[in-house]
Amino acid sequence: MTSSPTIDPDMIDRLAEVAVKVGLDLHEGQDLVLTAPASALPLVRRIAAHAYKAGAGVVVPILSDEDVTLARFENANDASFDVAPGWLHRGMAEAYGNNAARLAISGDNPMMLSAQDPAKVARVNRANSIASKPAMEKITGFDVNWTIVSYPNAAWAKLVFPDLPEPDAIAALARAIFAASRVDQPDPVAAWAAHNANLAQRSGWLNGQRFASLHFTGPGTDLIVGLADEHAWKGGASPVKNGITCNPNIPTEEVFTTPHALRVEGHVSATKPLSHNGTLIENIRVRFEEGRIVEAHATKGEEVLQRVIDSDEGARRLGEVALVPHSSPISASGVLFYNTLFDENAACHIALGQCYSDCFTDPNMSAEQIKARGGNSSMIHIDWMIGSGQVDIDGVAADGTRTPVFRQGEWAF
Amino acid sequence: MTSSPTIDPDMIDRLAEVAVKVGLDLHEGQDLVLTAPASALPLVRRIAAHAYKAGAGVVVPILSDEDVTLARFENANDASFDVAPGWLHRGMAEAYGNNAARLAISGDNPMMLSAQDPAKVARVNRANSIASKPAMEKITGFDVNWTIVSYPNAAWAKLVFPDLPEPDAIAALARAIFAASRVDQPDPVAAWAAHNANLAQRSGWLNGQRFASLHFTGPGTDLIVGLADEHAWKGGASPVKNGITCNPNIPTEEVFTTPHALRVEGHVSATKPLSHNGTLIENIRVRFEEGRIVEAHATKGEEVLQRVIDSDEGARRLGEVALVPHSSPISASGVLFYNTLFDENAACHIALGQCYSDCFTDPNMSAEQIKARGGNSSMIHIDWMIGSGQVDIDGVAADGTRTPVFRQGEWAF
Ligand SMILES: [Zn+2]
Ligand SMILES: [Zn+2]
Ligand SMILES: [Zn+2]
Ligand SMILES: [Zn+2]
């Protein structure tokens, strides 16, 4: 398959090792479900090797391919766009139910679907969201250890580094991914241990404050994000119900919790473009009333944005609020990745849709208990960036007392 | 992914069209499960395009990769070799249960596992056979339309054409595949219609004879193959329980039926090497008593052969007997493909293991009814070649009357 002379094979191996040891902490006897674009095969192969070294039962790669995806949009009957492979998603849910770990490699061309009919894109996404919900609930609920890592793709690299020739762009994107994933450091596993300790300290302080809401102010933004009752802040390593501790995102810089689905007020402007399933949505501006988006605009991709928030009732409400200092390494790199895994770690962000059910002081509540505390429910979860060096955040207690949390995009405590 | 400058893209597209229109006759609204090595992506993409043009719901490629497979043999714990992804096989069975069609691309390196421990290879094969049995029963029972086509792989091409440089070997193997699959003819779909008519005429004659057994004689071979009671000969296009007619093998030259599992006597020598899951088994010689292999030898790969026939009780008995004239195009090409899909169509062959449940006058019998008529049951089905230009075959009626079926490797009627 692809030979990748522009990507350092030693770094590919290190990223695979971090994915298995830090991202998953894969335990002996666990099976692994590995979703990836076929263009990421060089990383898939090294992950398989490290997973088997760690004692994996069987590693099952489920590889997607951009041209196969496009073949559908270019040739299929109208009825096809509401069809999803339910059997595959039910199978994955069964695998997670049997304690298989899950590793996703993110590395598609962010513009893959940009030339396709947004209505068809939305229908395919909706069909897949519905079909994958049982599996995704086991992931978002941390029933099993899971992680997402990234690998370059030629079209993605050219989008991020448009002025470089393709091989140089791929090499530059690979270096940026490796740096953000801390695998260019002398001992990547130790670097992750130190980073996790820092994130734990930040979330610990926030959990001690018990804020009722966060108040974001900045250019085009004056937003009060109520926090869910009994919310808990998390960041970095995450305990899993199977007793393992995983790092669900490689990289990660965020400390995050569950907002209250009914208590978000004001307006907010995105500070970076959002790449959503192959479409770029630029300059998002929305207004919330009682937790619900009542107005939404974008200078580009507004139709896709409207379809996203029309996906279901919960798609217009928040399921996550996350704090990331403006000086975080990904932000400092100045690279706009057009990929949420990286860009969400360059800035504070909010997510439309499904909340993380474990961002509560009791991480094992029922759907009803979560809803009663303000946790949102939806078949989507889409992060978008609202932080920058010009954004301040106050924590507001139940009695109205204000405590600085961020000043000029940096931690204020 | 792979660019294939040595393989004519127009021929790839023609093979994809034949696979979808002749191999599957994919009907509007059918989903498609497409298993393939990742190295066959150029064909996978064109098959996806033709499947969607034919009205497919969703096409799901399940791509394997040689290096991922090898990573297991090189790194896994001992316990791994008994693990199969049951969830994936159950999912496929569910898909077929919902009328999804199945297309397999055969194109692995035939020597992929030749350096691995045969015991571990056998354990993995056994685990996968058990896990895939419910899905495979829906395929062998023709619950849905299915087909197998082939695509070159560099290592395979070098095995077939060892004296050519790799790009030339790939090009030569591609041309041989396209010719055997009749896609180099002016109208491949029409060529397949004519070929199917010829195979139907041969199987019709055999069905009229109602032979009790076939008697094979040739160098190293004196074998009586009893035929199952109420057996039916088939060849080429095959009716499917969902009402479609598919061509399960592209290419195919054989006319075949179900032998009687208890009525095979004598000895037989293979006329070509057998490539089995990455191991080459050469010069097989076996002796049958009352349908059962009581002695088995090979000059190379004998250990793998012994493990194969020890898989289960039915693995020592025959599940198929097939007639292919020595002058068939694949035999005439003189190419030894090291791939059963081709080599079985260059010679008469027998298969160890599971019978085709539809090779009976009533194609919808229960497992008990099939067994009562002599149909074999096993988790394996492995074809090996026993025909050559020196083999004669007589059809023997219940009263002992003999009718020439093959003389010197050619049809005698
Ligand atoms: Zn986040
Ligand atoms: Zn998020
Ligand atoms: Zn056969
Ligand atoms: Zn066969």
Side-chain angles (χ1 to χ4, degrees), chain B residues 73 109-122 125 159 273-282 284 298 300-305 307-308 338-340 382:
Chain B
F73 284 92
N109 171 9
M111 303 303 286
M112 177 166 68
L113 299 178
S114 56
Q116 306 306 322
D117 175 359
K120 288 180 176 169
V121 173
N125 290 341
L159 185 68
L274 167 62
S275 167
H276 177 65
N277 286 108
T279 307
L280 214 55
I281 310 176
E282 293 184 28
I284 299 173
K300 221 179 117 181
E302 182 170 310
E303 195 187 348
V304 174
L305 176 64
R307 285 176 190 280
V308 163
Y338 297 93
N339 179 316
T340 300
I382 296 172

Side-chain angles (χ1 to χ4, degrees), chain A residues 1 45 57 65 80 90 94, chain B residues 1 45 57 65 80 90 94:
Chain A
M1 302 303 300
R45 292 164 177 158
D65 178 69
S80 166
R90 277 187 290 277
E94 180 191 328
Chain B
M1 303 303 300
R45 292 165 177 157
D65 179 70
S80 165
R90 277 187 290 277
E94 179 190 329

